[in-house]
Amino acid sequence: MANNSAAGIQWDLSDLFAAHDDSKIESTLNDCRASAERFAERYRPALEHGQSLSAATLKQALEELEKIYEALGRVSSYAGLLYAADTAKPEYQDLDQRVEQRSTEIRNLLLFFELAWLKFDDEIADKLIKDEQLRDYRHYLTSLRRYRRHTLSELEEKLLNERDNTGRNAFGRLFSEITSSLVFKLERDGKSEDLNLSQILSLLHEPDRSLRQRAMETVYRELSQHGQVLTFIYDTLIQDNLTVDRLRSYSNPMAQRHLSNEIDGAAVKTMMEVSEKNYPLAHDYFRLKAKLLELPQLALYDQYAPVGKEVRPFPYENAKLVVLNAFAAFDPKFGELAGEFFAKNWIDAEIRKGKRGGAFCASPSPQLHPYVLCNYDDNLRDVMTVAHELGHGLHGCLSRKQNYFNYDTPLTTAETASVFAEMLVFDYLLEQQSDRDVRIALLTGKIEDIFATVFRQNVLTRFEELAFAARQEKRLTPDAMGKLWLEANGKYYGDAVTMPDSYQWGWSYIPHFIHSRFYCYSYVFGQLLVLALYRMYKDEGKTFVPKYVALLEAGGSDTPDALLKPLGVDIHHAEFWQKGFEEIRGLVGKLQGLI
Ligand SMILES: [Zn+2]
């Protein structure tokens, strides 16, 4: 901790409250509670008898609701941030729990609003949505109703919810318990080590080839020991999803995910087809990597082997400079906004005992500025983390023009600003480096990151599609599941990477399949969208900048499709998605030039 260059970099939360025992916290909670009670009293009758509700009254209700959520957000953000900064401090633990409990009570008082709105007849709801007075709330009111056709009666919903605890949720818990208790025994330097899943997977990034190979073999051998149960769990959950889809009238297994992402399934289909067409680009890269490693062909366990030379320790001050310069070169306003985060102490970067691990950016509401937390450890990837979180931060600042309900973006576009910011900083760093080996390390690292989010997540989604289709015919055995997995992966790796037979267990530890089906395509969507936008920026130059700024300013005020239209983006067009791959091809080309 002593040598860390970010020592002393702590955030200043006094814009929210003075201290954890500030009496304003309690009084804000009391005010919120009283306002919520008044709100329910005033609006419940009008909403539950929808016929007579006027646009003016609905607008007034939404404005009051916003005020309560804003105030509540200030308290919960403060409690959450204090706790993240020092999870071991009992006063902070208490505050966080107390605020969570109180705000749940308050939110429960307000819940009737959304439920009642969902029950409005289409005709009456449409008339209100189209009313000019409700213009700013149009997207929120519309998107709330998107599950209407798929919602069952209150009693049925209640039954499903309660039965889920001993049904699908129980299978999910069983999966988590099995995968988190796995112990992988590995011989290393004459000693036997007990590793958990993430520890052993990280060995795939080691320079020693035989260690990587043994690590991979150990992973799949251990997983195969639990193969029967893991297959049973996944098979049961697929069947459960198919049943619920039938009850809720979803037309296909992905439909529910598309709805929550506010994306048309046809656009996703096009995106996935374009990704598949570009698998040969991955093959080109795998052959280059084999050359770098001086191997005739890449094996699966060579995929993440390190090459080139890591950039020397990267002090925090340097990271700040790099990020601010890279942002300012894109748009001076970006540089200024990011500069505020450093100047006004909105970042907590030092590594401290008791502080939460990882990194995040919290953007509480349009009334408040965002805060960034990271654990800066002087590595290049920490620079990228700062860039990533500050990208979120800029998005959070720019969209403060929006109202509370239009502030957040759906999953598919939530990572646009952060990943775009990483691209800016990556390119800036690459240009600064003259050492060939450092450039090779930077490029391979970036390309492999992109492959993991674009190609691999596409493979994962294809596998899910195959598994759902096969389950409609019959129950899935471990063998059948393994075959489908190898089929989906075989298309990606082609003849460029050899897959060991034991890789048939590669699907069995991936939590997304169990907890949130068809989640993975959102990663493809988010990453490719950014690459394509970045390509447009390079092609169009400065004229692209104001359009991109406008996109961030729009926050979540409309569907991703509608927000992207003004940039000339059509997510239904294969050509748009192909732009993303042209950007990847550019990176692979740069690497080729160095070898
Ligand atoms: Zn992020």
Side-chain angles (χ1 to χ4, degrees):
M1 254 177 265
N3 299 325
N4 198 289
S5 68
I9 306 293
Q10 298 184 13
W11 56 27
D12 170 9
L13 301 178
S14 62
D15 283 346
L16 298 172
F17 291 97
H20 75 275
D21 52 1
D22 186 340
S23 62
K24 285 203 185 105
I25 296 177
E26 193 57 30
S27 63
T28 307
L29 285 170
N30 289 338
D31 288 350
C32 285
R33 169 99 202 184
S35 306
E37 280 167 359
R38 265 201 314 276
F39 181 88
E41 224 166 89
R42 193 175 302 163
Y43 296 107
R44 196 189 268 273
L47 266 129
E48 285 178 353
H49 309 283
Q51 292 83 347
S52 53
L53 183 71
S54 71
T57 310
L58 183 54
K59 186 178 181 214
Q60 206 184 353
L62 285 160
E63 284 169 354
E64 284 181 33
L65 209 51
E66 265 183 283
K67 279 203 193 100
I68 302 172
Y69 284 142
E70 284 273 3
L72 214 48
R74 180 184 286 261
V75 183
S76 1
S77 301
Y78 184 65
L81 294 173
L82 269 190
Y83 177 66
D86 191 349
T87 57
K89 204 164 178 157
E91 296 95 305
Y92 295 175
Q93 294 170 349
D94 283 349
L95 179 71
D96 194 45
Q97 273 172 25
R98 193 158 51 88
V99 168
E100 195 183 284
Q101 195 194 334
R102 296 278 302 272
S103 74
T104 308
E105 284 165 19
I106 296 166
R107 281 172 198 279
N108 280 344
L109 287 172
L110 301 169
L111 207 61
F112 80 91
F113 180 84
E114 293 191 359
L115 296 174
W117 173 245
L118 202 71
K119 287 196 187 131
F120 270 51
D121 284 337
D122 282 335
E123 207 183 315
I124 300 173
D126 285 348
K127 222 175 119 196
L128 286 165
I129 288 171
K130 287 198 186 103
D131 196 297
E132 222 19 58
Q133 293 183 71
L134 289 164
R135 192 197 168 85
D136 290 343
Y137 300 98
R138 200 166 281 165
H139 176 62
Y140 172 65
L141 291 171
T142 311
S143 68
L144 271 184
R145 286 174 67 80
R146 67 191 194 274
Y147 297 106
R148 182 175 149 82
R149 278 185 47 229
H150 310 286
T151 306
L152 306 173
S153 75
E154 207 173 322
L155 179 65
E156 289 168 319
E157 289 290 344
K158 206 176 147 214
L159 279 172
L160 275 181
N161 270 337
E162 297 208 11
R163 295 293 295 173
D164 276 352
N165 282 327
T166 44
R168 54 174 308 114
N169 299 346
F171 280 104
R173 283 195 300 275
L174 180 59
F175 172 86
S176 305
E177 284 179 19
I178 292 177
T179 48
S180 59
S181 65
L182 291 173
V183 177
F184 300 90
K185 286 201 181 302
L186 191 87
E187 290 283 327
R188 199 177 171 185
D189 306 324
K191 273 186 297 198
S192 170
E193 286 179 66
D194 286 352
L195 304 170
N196 66 24
L197 184 58
S198 67
Q199 286 172 321
I200 192 153
L201 287 176
S202 77
L203 296 182
L204 297 175
H205 298 262
E206 286 286 322
D208 176 358
R209 190 173 199 224
S210 83
L211 177 62
R212 292 196 306 266
Q213 182 180 9
R214 275 184 296 126
M216 183 169 272
E217 278 167 6
T218 310
V219 168
Y220 296 128
R221 195 184 322 118
E222 183 61 27
L223 285 168
S224 75
Q225 303 288 314
H226 304 268
Q228 194 73 37
V229 185
L230 291 169
T231 305
F232 190 92
I233 292 172
Y234 188 35
D235 176 78
T236 304
L237 286 171
I238 296 177
Q239 182 54 38
D240 183 79
N241 283 320
L242 290 170
T243 307
V244 173
D245 282 349
R246 178 170 49 74
L247 295 173
R248 293 190 183 281
S249 324
Y250 282 110
S251 57
N252 66 73
M254 285 170 99
Q256 176 238 36
R257 178 63 62 194
H258 296 328
L259 202 62
S260 88
N261 283 342
E262 302 186 55
I263 291 287
D264 175 13
V268 175
K269 188 167 174 278
T270 304
M271 173 192 83
M272 290 183 64
E273 282 165 5
V274 174
S275 301
E276 222 160 34
K277 275 203 192 100
N278 282 280
Y279 285 170
L281 175 58
H283 304 162
D284 291 347
Y285 173 74
F286 293 137
R287 288 190 192 103
L288 275 181
K289 175 120 187 193
K291 214 184 250 179
L292 276 169
L293 292 169
E294 296 172 4
L295 296 168
Q297 196 189 23
L298 221 56
L300 201 59
Y301 47 81
D302 297 321
Q303 219 182 147
Y304 301 113
V307 283
K309 192 168 80 195
E310 264 246 45
V311 198
R312 67 209 171 276
F314 222 108
Y316 184 72
E317 271 308 306
N318 219 348
K320 173 180 163 182
L321 217 67
V322 163
V323 171
L324 291 183
N325 285 343
F327 281 13
F330 176 74
D331 182 12
K333 195 172 160 195
F334 267 40
E336 273 168 44
L337 275 175
E340 270 191 86
F341 280 77
F342 292 98
K344 297 183 176 166
N345 300 323
W346 297 347
I347 306 176
D348 198 308
E350 73 172 354
I351 298 178
R352 275 194 310 272
K353 221 176 140 206
K355 179 176 162 179
R356 222 189 90 167
F360 66 80
C361 171
S363 301
S365 80
Q367 305 277 316
L368 302 165
H369 61 75
Y371 291 91
V372 164
L373 177 143
C374 62
N375 285 273
Y376 196 87
D377 202 16
D378 294 11
N379 293 316
L380 178 74
R381 63 169 181 277
D382 299 315
V383 185
M384 287 302 168
T385 304
V386 172
H388 181 103
E389 300 308 338
L390 280 175
H392 281 305
L394 289 185
H395 201 176
C397 286
L398 291 167
S399 55
R400 286 177 68 184
K401 293 189 167 165
Q402 299 297 327
N403 65 35
Y404 182 85
F405 296 115
N406 287 341
Y407 189 54
D408 286 330
T409 46
L411 192 64
T412 31
T413 43
E415 295 296 332
T416 308
S418 53
V419 180
F420 195 90
E422 278 188 64
M423 287 303 294
L424 290 172
V425 171
F426 172 79
D427 262 357
Y428 183 86
L429 270 174
L430 190 66
E431 261 170 50
Q432 275 196 328
Q433 302 298 331
S434 51
D435 185 324
R436 171 185 171 272
D437 288 338
V438 170
R439 288 171 64 93
I440 287 179
L442 276 171
L443 279 164
T444 51
K446 189 73 190 164
I447 292 169
E448 284 165 21
D449 272 358
I450 290 174
F451 279 18
T453 12
V454 174
F455 288 129
R456 181 167 151 87
Q457 303 299 328
N458 203 65
V459 169
L460 262 53
T461 310
R462 281 284 186 244
F463 165 71
E464 279 185 288
E465 285 185 298
L466 291 171
F468 272 79
R471 186 59 179 90
Q472 306 209 1
E473 307 298 321
K474 59 172 183 247
R475 205 184 127 181
L476 293 167
T477 60
D479 250 11
M481 210 77 96
K483 273 205 190 87
L484 298 177
W485 175 252
L486 292 177
E487 182 188 330
N489 278 274
K491 284 192 182 149
Y492 171 36
Y493 292 121
D495 56 9
V497 180
T498 47
M499 297 186 289
D501 289 342
S502 59
Y503 189 48
Q504 62 162 304
W505 293 106
W507 62 272
S508 66
Y509 64 90
I510 296 170
H512 295 90
F513 295 159
I514 304 300
H515 302 300
S516 35
R517 62 172 152 156
F518 295 109
Y519 186 97
C520 296
Y521 84 70
S522 317
Y523 293 125
V524 188
F525 191 101
Q527 176 75 65
L528 267 186
L529 173 64
V530 168
L531 288 167
L533 289 176
Y534 197 68
R535 187 74 194 182
M536 286 169 71
Y537 163 53
K538 282 190 181 163
D539 290 345
E540 294 173 27
K542 285 292 165 198
T543 57
F544 174 82
V545 176
K547 290 189 281 183
Y548 180 69
V549 173
L551 172 72
L552 299 193
E553 284 176 343
S557 56
D558 212 332
T559 60
D561 196 5
L563 292 178
L564 287 163
K565 276 262 157 66
L567 284 93
V569 168
D570 188 340
I571 57 171
H572 288 84
H573 275 173
E575 298 88 89
F576 170 70
W577 297 111
Q578 189 56 38
K579 280 188 215 288
F581 290 100
E582 294 320 316
E583 186 57 31
I584 302 177
R585 188 181 300 281
L587 292 171
V588 176
K590 268 186 196 160
L591 180 67
Q592 204 151 19
L594 291 172
I595 298 173

